[in-house]
Amino acid sequence: MGFLIGIDIGGTNVVCGLTDAAGKLLHKLKQPTEALMGSSHVFDKIKLMVEELLRIAGLGREDISAIGVGTPGFIDPIQGITLFAGNLQWVQVPTAEEIRKRTGIPTYIDNDVRMYVYGEAVCGAAKGYEHVLGITIGTGLAAAVINQGKLYYGGGFMAGELGHIVMPDIPYVCGCGLQGCLETAVSATGIARQATELLQRGRSSILRDWLDGAHEDKLTAAEVSKAYDEGDSLAIEVMNHTGRLLGRGLANAVTLYSPDVIVIGGGVALAGERLFAPMREQLQKSVYRGYWDRLSIVTATMIDDAGIVGSAMSASNRLDV
Amino acid sequence: MGFLIGIDIGGTNVVCGLTDAAGKLLHKLKQPTEALMGSSHVFDKIKLMVEELLRIAGLGREDISAIGVGTPGFIDPIQGITLFAGNLQWVQVPTAEEIRKRTGIPTYIDNDVRMYVYGEAVCGAAKGYEHVLGITIGTGLAAAVINQGKLYYGGGFMAGELGHIVMPDIPYVCGCGLQGCLETAVSATGIARQATELLQRGRSSILRDWLDGAHEDKLTAAEVSKAYDEGDSLAIEVMNHTGRLLGRGLANAVTLYSPDVIVIGGGVALAGERLFAPMREQLQKSVYRGYWDRLSIVTATMIDDAGIVGSAMSASNRLDV
């Protein structure tokens, strides 16, 4: 087996990594995506990054078995098309073909969260488990599932939208058009929104001092997390409520998927036990004991590298099919 | 390919069916299970039923490629063990091995609901769909999932327990130990329980006349359905509420599994549009439009035969592995 290249196309940065056949990351490069300059601009940039990786490693393109690419949004991994990626403003972009044309290397694409979770499952915190539920909590809440070692796609490759489970007691309207989607509360945006709302209702909090006269909607989830550590009751209430909502959402997912392990990543996962303690408590209360007793819950360990390693390893598997 | 035998071991009856290689049901026999007389009694009975099927069809055991068996409860389909089946009072019964010993034919077992849904997917209402969510609404609420044509098991073979999704606004305690499981309201038992509760609160209803002095907990779901047809406002309220709860539960399942089709069977499915109209309305409101637009919802068509045909076809597939 040869080497592999994994690429993560994000709204902010493109990261390209070179791995060996086992998924060990050897080199990586990062560039701003500049998605608004168009997809061709991004693909040209990727061509140069791949060439640079080969140069650094002293390899030729014939040494690379495959390129794997994760992009946000809805993907058709069979056709290799990015169907819709809001934060790249891409619609029906033939990503795999465009990169293959420019590099001469077989290229496979998939959803970035699936690739992140696949990376954690193959080389990270969920290694060794057959049934994995992976979630990332950042600006939004996303999830992917691995069943008997294989990614679960569902019809239209649309399975796993944990962030869009509707909870009747969540009052916020979601970008997807529904009211009450879990990610409107369980996300960086959602944590800030809840705190802002409580401040606007006149609740006292250290956060008001920190705002120093700025509008309440300038708050960030990181500030709420920091106020939590100061013992601020508003911040504690928001983190507890968010953790319990996550626990209820995960209870649904555990009861339907029966994972062996839940792996949690994304920026908001840095809140750690502030969020995980109420989440675990609620989850245990809301699932049949048979699930709870066999369930592990772990934090993602590969962080920035999970997506590129997952993309590389997934592409390698698809070569074998 | 030879013929197949599918067996459904239920709490009340054992049904054995002979099919051709394509799953066409040629003959079937039914006997009371008499589960309380012990598993050996049931297996001896199955031996005689299999012999009778062969005699009727003029076949020898060498003409049968495999036997497939569906049993209720938690199953280990790999080891062939019925781990726990409450309504048979079976714990750790080596069902596959016991039947194979008595018949001399390779035997595979699985959960009865999975086999029912598999039957509908291979030969029934969900034929031709790759991603199937099948539910049965009877005494309880059960589900099974088919992903890319294959049954989805999850860790511990425990995936798909839609009936045990917890809803914060369901007040009933479930047999599984949790409060608010969907099946405590969405089932024959749940429909009767809701009507009983409203009567006990003093609500007027034609159901009270029908009870003719008997205790309110003697009500059945079938009576509620009949009162619905008489325009009874209590019955209409119960069926609407049940349908909406089912819609919310299915919304979670659709968002996580992304099925192409939902196939609905079981005794309560006979309530038809009384339940399905509010269910569809709520489901459409509670899922991202991308799911709704590509989703079909159908009623099971094989009824009593889905389980035995599903068991036979599933066993046939397992021979090939």
Side-chain angles (χ1 to χ4, degrees):
Chain A
M1 282 291 296
F3 297 87
L4 299 156
I5 287 177
I7 303 178
D8 184 54
I9 306 179
T12 310
N13 292 307
V14 176
V15 186
C16 294
L18 176 74
T19 79
D20 67 15
K24 187 179 169 207
L25 187 61
L26 305 173
H27 301 284
K28 76 175 168 177
L29 301 171
K30 188 194 275 194
Q31 293 265 345
T33 309
E34 301 169 324
L36 299 188
M37 294 177 71
S39 59
S40 286
H41 176 75
V42 179
F43 297 138
D44 290 343
K45 184 189 302 256
I46 285 172
K47 174 184 193 291
L48 296 175
M49 292 173 82
V50 168
E51 286 169 358
E52 176 70 4
L53 276 178
L54 294 179
R55 198 192 57 73
I56 293 170
L59 297 171
R61 73 172 57 170
E62 67 284 359
D63 297 314
I64 309 296
S65 307
I67 294 177
V69 185
T71 82
F74 289 111
I75 311 297
D76 182 334
I78 307 298
Q79 304 292 326
I81 296 170
T82 304
L83 301 171
F84 176 74
N87 60 351
L88 300 178
Q89 301 196 12
W90 287 9
V91 178
Q92 295 280 346
V93 173
T95 303
E97 175 59 13
E98 291 294 334
I99 294 177
R100 191 202 57 72
K101 269 195 327 205
R102 284 168 173 78
T103 60
I105 300 169
T107 302
Y108 302 93
I109 71 163
D110 210 324
N111 170 271
D112 57 350
V113 176
R114 270 189 221 121
M115 295 299 92
Y116 180 99
V117 171
Y118 195 71
E120 288 289 342
V122 173
C123 302
K127 189 174 174 174
Y129 293 95
E130 276 225 294
H131 303 93
V132 180
L133 169 61
I135 69 169
T136 60
I137 325 177
T139 317
L141 172 64
V145 171
I146 290 162
N147 175 48
Q148 295 182 294
K150 289 192 176 159
L151 282 160
Y152 179 93
Y153 290 94
F157 315 102
M158 283 165 63
E161 289 288 347
L162 181 68
H164 296 279
I165 276 190
V166 167
M167 299 264 177
D169 50 347
I170 295 181
Y172 310 119
V173 173
C174 183
C176 79
L178 297 175
Q179 186 199 302
C181 286
L182 189 57
E183 78 168 13
T184 64
V186 181
S187 60
T189 331
I191 289 169
R193 174 188 282 137
Q194 292 175 67
T196 298
E197 204 177 76
L198 290 175
L199 283 178
Q200 288 177 337
R201 285 195 215 147
R203 280 278 298 274
S204 67
S205 163
I206 195 174
L207 288 164
R208 199 180 299 280
D209 307 335
W210 292 354
L211 276 170
D212 195 25
H215 194 273
E216 292 94 345
D217 65 9
K218 297 296 176 217
L219 272 179
T220 66
E223 286 167 326
V224 177
S225 189
K226 199 172 147 206
Y228 179 105
D229 294 337
E230 306 269 335
D232 183 73
S233 71
L234 183 152
I236 293 172
E237 182 179 326
V238 167
M239 295 304 273
N240 281 343
H241 183 63
T242 305
R244 284 194 298 266
L245 283 174
L246 177 59
R248 273 170 52 200
L250 286 176
N252 286 341
V254 166
T255 305
L256 293 177
Y257 292 132
S258 191
D260 304 323
V261 63
I262 299 175
V263 55
I264 306 179
V268 175
L270 299 175
E273 284 305 305
R274 303 175 190 91
L275 205 59
F276 298 161
M279 176 272 281
R280 269 198 306 267
E281 193 189 353
Q282 182 66 49
L283 175 55
Q284 183 173 10
K285 272 191 222 165
S286 309
V287 290
Y288 169 61
R289 202 188 141 166
Y291 295 113
W292 178 258
D293 287 346
R294 60 188 305 291
L295 184 67
S296 301
I297 303 176
V298 299
T299 308
T301 51
M302 298 174 69
I303 316 299
D304 285 348
D305 297 339
I308 48 179
V309 171
S311 295
M313 295 309 287
S314 173
S316 166
N317 283 344
R318 290 178 64 183
L319 274 176
D320 300 337
V321 173
Chain B
M1 281 289 294
F3 295 88
L4 299 157
I5 287 176
I7 303 178
D8 185 54
I9 307 181
T12 311
N13 291 307
V14 177
V15 185
C16 293
L18 176 75
T19 79
D20 66 15
K24 189 182 169 202
L25 186 62
L26 306 172
H27 301 285
K28 79 175 167 177
L29 300 171
K30 188 194 276 196
Q31 294 264 345
T33 308
E34 300 171 325
L36 298 188
M37 295 176 72
S39 61
S40 286
H41 175 76
V42 178
F43 297 138
D44 290 343
K45 185 188 302 254
I46 285 172
K47 173 183 193 294
L48 297 176
M49 292 172 83
V50 168
E51 287 168 357
E52 177 69 3
L53 275 179
L54 294 179
R55 197 190 58 71
I56 292 170
L59 297 172
R61 74 172 56 170
E62 68 284 359
D63 297 315
I64 309 296
S65 307
I67 294 177
V69 185
T71 82
F74 288 112
I75 312 297
D76 182 336
I78 306 297
Q79 304 292 327
I81 295 171
T82 304
L83 301 171
F84 175 75
N87 60 351
L88 301 177
Q89 300 197 10
W90 286 9
V91 179
Q92 295 281 347
V93 173
T95 304
E97 175 59 14
E98 291 294 335
I99 294 176
R100 190 203 57 73
K101 269 195 330 209
R102 282 168 175 80
T103 60
I105 300 169
T107 302
Y108 302 92
I109 72 164
D110 211 321
N111 170 271
D112 57 350
V113 176
R114 269 189 222 118
M115 295 299 92
Y116 179 98
V117 172
Y118 195 71
E120 288 288 344
V122 173
C123 302
K127 188 171 174 175
Y129 293 96
E130 277 225 294
H131 304 92
V132 180
L133 169 61
I135 69 170
T136 60
I137 324 176
T139 316
L141 173 63
V145 172
I146 290 162
N147 176 46
Q148 296 183 295
K150 289 191 176 162
L151 282 159
Y152 180 94
Y153 290 94
F157 313 104
M158 282 164 64
E161 290 288 348
L162 181 68
H164 296 278
I165 277 190
V166 168
M167 300 263 175
D169 50 346
I170 295 182
Y172 311 119
V173 173
C174 183
C176 80
L178 298 175
Q179 185 198 303
C181 285
L182 189 58
E183 78 169 13
T184 64
V186 181
S187 60
T189 332
I191 289 169
R193 173 188 282 137
Q194 293 175 68
T196 297
E197 206 177 76
L198 290 176
L199 282 178
Q200 288 176 337
R201 285 195 215 149
R203 280 279 298 274
S204 67
S205 163
I206 196 174
L207 288 163
R208 198 180 300 281
D209 307 334
W210 293 353
L211 276 168
D212 195 25
H215 193 274
E216 292 93 344
D217 65 7
K218 298 295 177 219
L219 271 180
T220 65
E223 286 169 325
V224 177
S225 189
K226 199 172 146 207
Y228 180 104
D229 293 339
E230 307 268 334
D232 184 74
S233 71
L234 184 152
I236 292 171
E237 182 179 326
V238 168
M239 295 303 274
N240 281 343
H241 184 61
T242 305
R244 284 193 299 265
L245 284 173
L246 178 59
R248 273 170 51 201
L250 286 176
N252 287 342
V254 166
T255 306
L256 294 177
Y257 292 132
S258 191
D260 304 322
V261 63
I262 299 176
V263 55
I264 307 178
V268 175
L270 299 176
E273 284 305 306
R274 302 175 190 91
L275 205 59
F276 298 160
M279 176 272 280
R280 270 198 305 268
E281 193 189 355
Q282 183 66 50
L283 175 55
Q284 182 174 11
K285 272 192 223 166
S286 308
V287 290
Y288 169 62
R289 199 187 144 168
Y291 295 113
W292 177 259
D293 287 347
R294 60 188 306 290
L295 184 66
S296 301
I297 303 175
V298 298
T299 308
T301 51
M302 299 175 67
I303 315 299
D304 285 349
D305 298 338
I308 48 179
V309 170
S311 295
M313 295 309 289
S314 173
S316 165
N317 282 344
R318 290 178 64 182
L319 274 176
D320 299 337
V321 174

